[in-house]
Amino acid sequence: MKMSTTMIVSNFVLFQIGWFACVWSAAAHQPWIGVLVTTGVVVVHVLRAPLPMAELTLVFLALALGLVFDSLLVWQGWLQYSSGIVLPNVAPYWIVALWGLFATLLNVSLRWMRGRWVIAVVFGAAGGPAAYYGGLRLGALEFGNMPAGLLALALGWAVLTPLLLALSARFDGYAGLLEKKTS
């Protein structure tokens, strides 16, 4: 039996709410508001997982990967942020929070992508830069060097999306839900 459509749709909708809250609040120089909303979404996601510790571990791994990846982009000068900066040359906290939010999709809405590595690479290579470009259009970030930044985002997300999907198979807080439904 598959995961319920309601769960998949609500997972996607909550992600969108968190994403827009983070980006709009960062653009308004109030990034803590979006992080608060995103934290709420992540908490709901983790608490409704049958195996919450596995899901929480996945969220923290995504946060760590996001912190390193986005900080490299900032350090290279390819991405520039004007709010949420705690330390120079380190990604702002609100963009790191979005990585944790992205992790909430991996075992629910994006579960179908597991093992479909070519699709995951293409999805990451296209979706990563598209999301950042959306952030640019909403005023949350700027590109210091747009061609280099977009290329780095495409390459990075092409690698990180399959990696995060592989990690989601290892830290699957929703596996128990599928087992209960199939028995």
Side-chain angles (χ1 to χ4, degrees), residues 49-66:
L51 303 169
M53 286 309 295
E55 210 60 29
L56 189 60
T57 301
L58 180 61
V59 168
F60 278 111
L61 288 171
L63 289 170
L65 285 171

Side-chain angles (χ1 to χ4, degrees), residues 91-103:
Y93 62 84
W94 66 268
I95 199 84
V96 176
L98 286 176
W99 283 82
L101 183 68
F102 181 71

Side-chain angles (χ1 to χ4, degrees), residues 35-105:
V35 172
L36 192 63
V37 171
T38 298
T39 301
V41 170
V42 170
V43 167
V44 167
H45 173 78
V46 168
L47 289 178
R48 73 180 189 178
L51 303 169
M53 286 309 295
E55 210 60 29
L56 189 60
T57 301
L58 180 61
V59 168
F60 278 111
L61 288 171
L63 289 170
L65 285 171
L67 174 64
V68 171
F69 178 66
D70 267 291
S71 293
L72 285 171
L73 298 175
V74 169
W75 179 64
Q76 288 297 314
W78 294 332
L79 290 179
Q80 298 170 348
Y81 299 94
S82 61
S83 68
I85 300 165
V86 177
L87 297 171
N89 294 323
V90 174
Y93 62 84
W94 66 268
I95 199 84
V96 176
L98 286 176
W99 283 82
L101 183 68
F102 181 71
T104 66
L105 296 175

Side-chain angles (χ1 to χ4, degrees), residues 16 28 31 34 38-39 45 52 63-64 72 77 95 103 110 124-125 138 151 162-163 168 170 175-176:
Q16 292 299 317
T38 298
T39 301
H45 173 78
L63 289 170
L72 285 171
I95 199 84
L110 298 181
L138 294 173
L151 179 63
L163 175 62
S168 74
R170 170 71 175 89

Side-chain angles (χ1 to χ4, degrees), residues 111-169:
R111 183 180 202 91
W112 63 272
M113 206 181 293
R114 278 193 199 159
R116 296 178 172 134
W117 305 118
V118 173
I119 293 173
V121 167
V122 172
F123 177 85
Y132 285 75
Y133 190 77
L136 168 74
R137 300 291 296 173
L138 294 173
L141 63 95
E142 294 181 16
F143 284 89
N145 180 336
M146 187 174 286
L150 288 174
L151 179 63
L153 286 166
L155 293 173
W157 278 90
V159 171
L160 292 170
T161 301
L163 175 62
L164 286 167
L165 285 165
L167 288 170
S168 74

